[in-house]
Amino acid sequence: MMHDEVVSRLRHVLTEGEIPPGARIPERELCASFAISRTPLREALKVLAAEGLVVLLPNRGSRAAKLTQKDVSELFEVCEALEATAGELACPRITDEQLREIADLQANMVEHYRAQDLLSYYRCNRLIHEAIVRAADNAVLAGFYESIAARIRRARFITPMSPEHWALAIREHEGILNALQRRDAGGLAHILRNHLRRKREEVVRAGFAEGE
Amino acid sequence: MMHDEVVSRLRHVLTEGEIPPGARIPERELCASFAISRTPLREALKVLAAEGLVVLLPNRGSRAAKLTQKDVSELFEVCEALEATAGELACPRITDEQLREIADLQANMVEHYRAQDLLSYYRCNRLIHEAIVRAADNAVLAGFYESIAARIRRARFITPMSPEHWALAIREHEGILNALQRRDAGGLAHILRNHLRRKREEVVRAGFAEGE
DNA sequence: AGAGCTATTTTTGAATGCAAAATAGGTCCA
DNA sequence: TGGACCTATTTTGCATTCAAAAATAGCTCT
């Protein structure tokens, strides 16, 4: 198995659930489940520790990182900056193909909203944000975004939304698509910033934090 | 030796010179010079590869990463966003102590400018930018900034400056300090963005790129 | 019975060993 | 002479092993 594959499989295990934040990372079991020895697994652990997904306790193993309130704030602050920048850069660079893709996702997302299907809604939502970042055509930005997104995914996509917030989010997304279509970089950055700021406030207000 | 220490020593070797971009990383020699075995060194290599400082060629070893023109553009684009964000966040958060520190660094920097001592100038310059990021009090932002700064350092602080650019940079830095003192977040973000954009144009124009 | 101490097991971090891949070197033939 | 092919050496990636640290269990003594 390729090194990067171990990293992404481990990242998946940590972000999409099977090991909750704060839990001990069972080196032994993971080695068995990935059918590799401890050496490559430990290499992946160090990489994810550098990313902030794992905390290494010297001589006492590694645990899935927990997000504190401060972590959530910091991650959202940076995420805001990155998404706004992505929007600005995407406006002059986005292709018609990519624009169509986002419009389709948006239509889909509205369908899911009508059906009150939160999970599918979030999936579309996430794909739209990722598509905008991709359209910015900046690999460094995309890498940072991916890293941040992995860490706040839980907080971002698990915090429940009030009906009003949901309706507002939908309107904001219409504004996002509109600004992209008009290639209004400044406007898009502004909307994205507000969109994320609102989400942060919502998450912080919900008191989302995984402990100390 | 601690794991993090190996990573930062290796990062130092890669950024402050002894292994030029594109060069093969001599695993053996580094093991000897750090007095460790290959296992911890390879862990550090993977971490730095994830950061973009090292490229791993499967079955063919690792090399110090080279910056292409595209890399330089991307790094500056993100650096711009991060520094502007740092400035915005720093305005309401910076302490008087930190403000004094930056004012001192600024005075120092102007001295070095007067003496036309480029190296000392760059050192102060770097310390000022780092101090602003620190004042933003956001560890995630600081981590990303450090990672970008490490990759771009050569391009940023080695590209020669024309007398006009240097004079302009000094004026811009006066504006930066002024905006900080007035706690003018929007103004500071604006100045920082322009400051970095100018630097990027300068570096790109100088054709700084380390190859493919 | 329970607190505290020691012995044993388990776990961690790093060195070593090993098989596979890549590289270098040399030989043979056109 | 030049180039294709084959072998020897080095290098790489990973599994294994080993020593030290931590956790656990089993004592002793009050």
Side-chain angles (χ1 to χ4, degrees), chain B residues 1 35-40 43 59-60:
Chain B
M1 195 187 330
I36 55 175
S37 76
R38 285 177 57 221
T39 308
E43 285 172 356
N59 289 320
R60 307 175 67 246

Side-chain angles (χ1 to χ4, degrees), chain B residues 4-5 36 38 40-41 48 55 63 70 75 80 85-86 88 111 113 118 129 131 134 148 157 186:
Chain B
D4 286 349
E5 204 190 327
I36 55 175
R38 285 177 57 221
L41 183 76
L48 294 181
V55 293
R63 312 185 87 90
K70 172 80 169 151
L75 288 165
E80 218 174 285
T85 305
E88 266 180 79
E111 281 309 304
Y113 169 64
L118 189 62
H129 286 273
R134 216 169 321 116
I148 292 232
F157 294 122

Side-chain angles (χ1 to χ4, degrees), chain A residues 1 35-40 59-60:
Chain A
M1 193 186 330
I36 55 175
S37 78
R38 285 176 58 223
T39 309
N59 288 319
R60 309 176 71 245

